[in-house]
């Protein structure tokens, strides 16, 4: 029996099983088995077959955004109008067959846009080019799920299900669960919060499914069985996502007002270029990029080409390493102007945390 048949069998068993306290244990085990089989699909055994045509695109710029959606929802039109790159557009489905890259400059940052081929239902099980599409989507900093405004909910659920099956978690934080394997000593479970879903037996059962019999598990949140499986698997990608509702020229103003209240959503019309500024502003907020302007000694700061750092990696040391690896050898201190310091300029060390639009001058040892 192949992997796909075993996945289908487990999914049908989960659909048949009623959800209550008595079956929670059994469902947890099934979910663990399903996650293991999905991982086999993600990393197939390498055979000696011929190399396929290249699908991924070299990473350029400060961030990478993937356009994911069903065929003919306007992904290529959106890329063409945003980045000025021509991606073949036609009124029939599956026009785009490989990844089409484009680059836009926004607030000084270079952002790579990828128009991925249309996803079909069952992509996570290897149907269509689905597996390659979602594998490229895993490398992005942000995902635009492009939906047709006339049938958004049905498509949204299907695409989320496909991405979840591939280990991509949208608009979620990683579970606050500590997990460490050890040589001996059995399973040691610590709970800092009252648990409503998991108990000791269920944790042990899920771990034994992975053949783990010695580990320290710390639950610092009210975790579900899926959270625990995500932590054990360790290959999940947590990324922000914006739902782009295209073709708003086909609906009324009243419907548009309702759509605007949905979280993580931006209604646009790719054909008429409506509401692009709102989409770009939301994109900037979700990417969490930090711009740092450099200042050579005795000259004005360079406001044209900022150094772009990612949120969380915004120390002076990160800035130096991004400029050139050898700077830290001769680094003495830095002068900073901006919101991260009390005085302008202020002398700071390598551990200083920089804010967006700070101006930095690096002083080297003589």
């Amino acid at each position: 029996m192949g992997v796909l048949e075993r996945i289908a069998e487990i999914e049908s068993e989960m659909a048949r099983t009623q959800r209550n306290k008595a079956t929670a244990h059994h469902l947890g085990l099934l979910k663990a088995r399903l996650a293991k089989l999905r991982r086999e699909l993600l990393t197939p055994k390498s055979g000696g077959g011929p190399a396929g045509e290249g699908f991924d695109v070299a990473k350029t710029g400060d961030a990478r955004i993937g356009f994911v959606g069903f065929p003919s929802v306007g992904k290529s039109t959106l890329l063409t109008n945003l980045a000025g790159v021509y991606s073949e557009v036609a009124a029939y489905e599956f026009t785009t067959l490989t990844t089409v890259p484009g680059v836009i400059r926004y607030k000084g940052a270079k952002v790579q846009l990828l128009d991925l081929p249309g996803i079909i239902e069952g992509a996570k099980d290897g149907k269509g080019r689905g597996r390659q599409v979602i594998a490229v989507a895993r490398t992005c900093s942000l995902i635009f799920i492009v939906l047709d405004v006339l049938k958004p909910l049905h498509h949204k659920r299907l695409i989320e299900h496909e991405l979840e099956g591939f280990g991509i978690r949208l608009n979620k934080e990683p579970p606050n669960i500590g997990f460490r394997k050890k040589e001996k000593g059995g399973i040691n479970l610590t709970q800092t919060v009252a648990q409503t879903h998991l108990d000791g037996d269920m944790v042990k059962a899920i771990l034994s499914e992975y053949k783990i019999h010695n580990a320290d598990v710390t639950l610092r949140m009210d975790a579900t069985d899926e959270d625990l499986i995500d932590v054990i698997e360790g290959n999940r990608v947590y990324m922000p996502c914006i739902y782009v509702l295209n073709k708003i020229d086909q609906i009324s103003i009243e419907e548009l007002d309702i759509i605007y209240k949905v979280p993580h959503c931006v209604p646009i019309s790719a054909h008429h270029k409506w509401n692009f500024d709102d989409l770009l502003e939301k994109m900037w907020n979700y990417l969490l990029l930090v711009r740092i302007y450099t200042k050579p000694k005795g000259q004005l700061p360079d406001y044209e080409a900022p150094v772009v750092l990612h949120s969380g990696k915004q120390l002076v040391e990160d800035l130096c390493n991004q400029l050139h690896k050898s700077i830290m050898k001769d680094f003495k201190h830095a002068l900073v102007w901006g919101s991260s310091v009390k005085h302008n300029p202020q002398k700071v060390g390598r551990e200083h945390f920089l804010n967006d639009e700070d101006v930095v001058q690096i002083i080297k040892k003589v």
Side-chain angles (χ1 to χ4, degrees):
M1 190 189 282
V3 177
L4 286 176
E5 287 86 16
R6 277 150 65 201
I7 285 176
E9 197 178 90
I10 291 174
E11 279 181 340
S12 69
E13 190 177 341
M14 282 170 70
R16 286 197 308 271
T17 310
Q18 279 190 330
R19 291 172 184 273
N20 54 43
K21 275 187 180 175
T23 59
H25 197 271
H26 178 60
L27 280 169
L29 282 181
L30 290 178
K31 283 176 188 167
R33 259 173 229 158
L34 198 58
K36 279 169 69 181
L37 291 170
R38 285 236 190 284
R39 189 179 57 209
E40 276 181 43
L41 268 186
L42 261 173
T43 51
K45 306 275 188 296
S46 59
E53 68 175 277
F55 197 80
D56 199 358
V57 176
K59 209 167 187 174
T60 60
D62 303 305
R64 188 181 213 187
I65 297 176
F67 291 32
V68 177
F70 279 95
S72 294
V73 290
K75 298 191 295 297
S76 299
T77 313
L78 180 58
L79 178 76
T80 304
N81 288 339
L82 267 179
V85 176
Y86 184 68
S87 178
E88 198 174 329
V89 178
Y92 54 84
E93 301 199 331
F94 295 107
T95 323
T96 310
L97 295 172
T98 58
T99 309
V100 180
V103 173
I104 57 167
R105 282 195 165 275
Y106 188 67
K107 294 191 177 181
K110 221 164 115 185
V111 180
Q112 185 183 35
L113 306 175
L114 296 182
D115 177 17
L116 302 172
I119 277 190
I120 57 172
E121 206 176 335
K124 66 179 186 305
D125 303 327
K127 287 187 190 165
R129 305 276 323 246
R131 191 187 292 172
Q132 293 105 310
V133 173
I134 303 181
V136 176
R138 279 175 71 95
T139 66
C140 297
S141 338
L142 169 68
I143 283 185
F144 280 176
I145 291 187
V146 188
L147 302 165
D148 189 332
V149 78
L150 299 174
K151 40 187 174 180
L153 276 177
H154 175 58
H155 279 182
K156 175 174 177 280
R157 276 195 214 104
L158 284 174
I159 290 175
E160 280 175 347
H161 185 62
E162 298 297 322
L163 293 175
E164 291 263 325
F166 249 82
I168 296 175
R169 302 286 177 263
L170 304 173
N171 294 326
K172 281 184 189 170
E173 291 294 314
N176 194 356
I177 297 175
F179 173 69
R180 189 173 63 89
K181 288 185 195 175
K182 52 188 185 180
E183 292 294 314
K184 55 188 177 183
I187 303 292
N188 182 21
L189 178 63
T190 315
Q191 303 172 9
T192 57
V193 180
Q195 299 295 317
T196 55
H197 305 285
L198 287 175
D199 57 16
D201 292 340
M202 193 160 174
V203 170
K204 281 178 183 168
I206 289 173
L207 287 169
S208 69
E209 184 63 41
Y210 282 93
K211 297 185 172 55
I212 297 170
H213 305 292
N214 302 297
D216 290 332
V217 180
T218 312
L219 303 176
R220 301 187 196 93
M221 57 179 273
D222 186 9
T224 62
D225 44 7
E226 286 164 2
D227 292 333
L228 181 62
I229 290 166
D230 283 354
V231 170
I232 297 167
E233 284 280 341
N235 62 354
R236 303 299 188 234
V237 181
Y238 296 86
M239 63 173 67
C241 161
I242 295 174
Y243 301 100
V244 182
L245 293 171
N246 191 16
K247 307 183 185 177
I248 54 169
D249 46 330
Q250 299 177 9
I251 60 169
S252 66
I253 295 289
E254 290 78 15
E255 288 171 308
L256 192 57
D257 286 340
I258 295 167
I259 286 169
Y260 242 108
K261 291 171 186 163
V262 181
H264 312 299
C265 267
V266 180
I268 62 153
S269 170
H271 182 66
H272 296 286
K273 303 188 184 179
W274 292 349
N275 207 22
F276 275 15
D277 48 354
D278 205 10
L279 176 65
L280 290 170
E281 189 55 43
K282 196 153 197 152
M283 171 198 85
W284 181 259
N285 294 339
Y286 276 54
L287 283 173
L288 298 172
L289 297 176
V290 177
R291 293 159 296 171
I292 307 294
Y293 303 112
T294 52
K295 180 186 179 305
K297 194 172 181 181
Q299 295 175 31
L300 287 171
D302 180 6
Y303 288 116
E304 292 301 312
V307 179
V308 179
L309 303 176
H310 290 267
S311 177
K313 289 186 176 176
Q314 51 202 85
L315 302 177
V316 173
E317 190 171 353
D318 297 320
L319 170 71
C320 294
N321 288 336
Q322 184 129 336
L323 290 168
H324 199 279
K325 292 279 184 280
S326 65
I327 292 179
M328 281 318 292
K329 285 182 197 165
D330 306 324
F331 179 81
K332 187 179 178 189
H333 59 259
L335 296 175
V336 177
W337 292 256
S339 60
S340 70
V341 290
K342 289 180 182 172
H343 324 290
N344 284 325
Q346 185 170 324
K347 198 157 105 177
V348 299
R350 63 173 68 191
E351 294 295 316
H352 178 72
F353 194 82
L354 297 165
N355 287 349
D356 192 24
E357 298 200 278
D358 277 0
V359 174
V360 178
Q361 181 182 331
I362 293 163
I363 313 289
K364 288 182 167 184
K365 291 173 193 162
V366 183

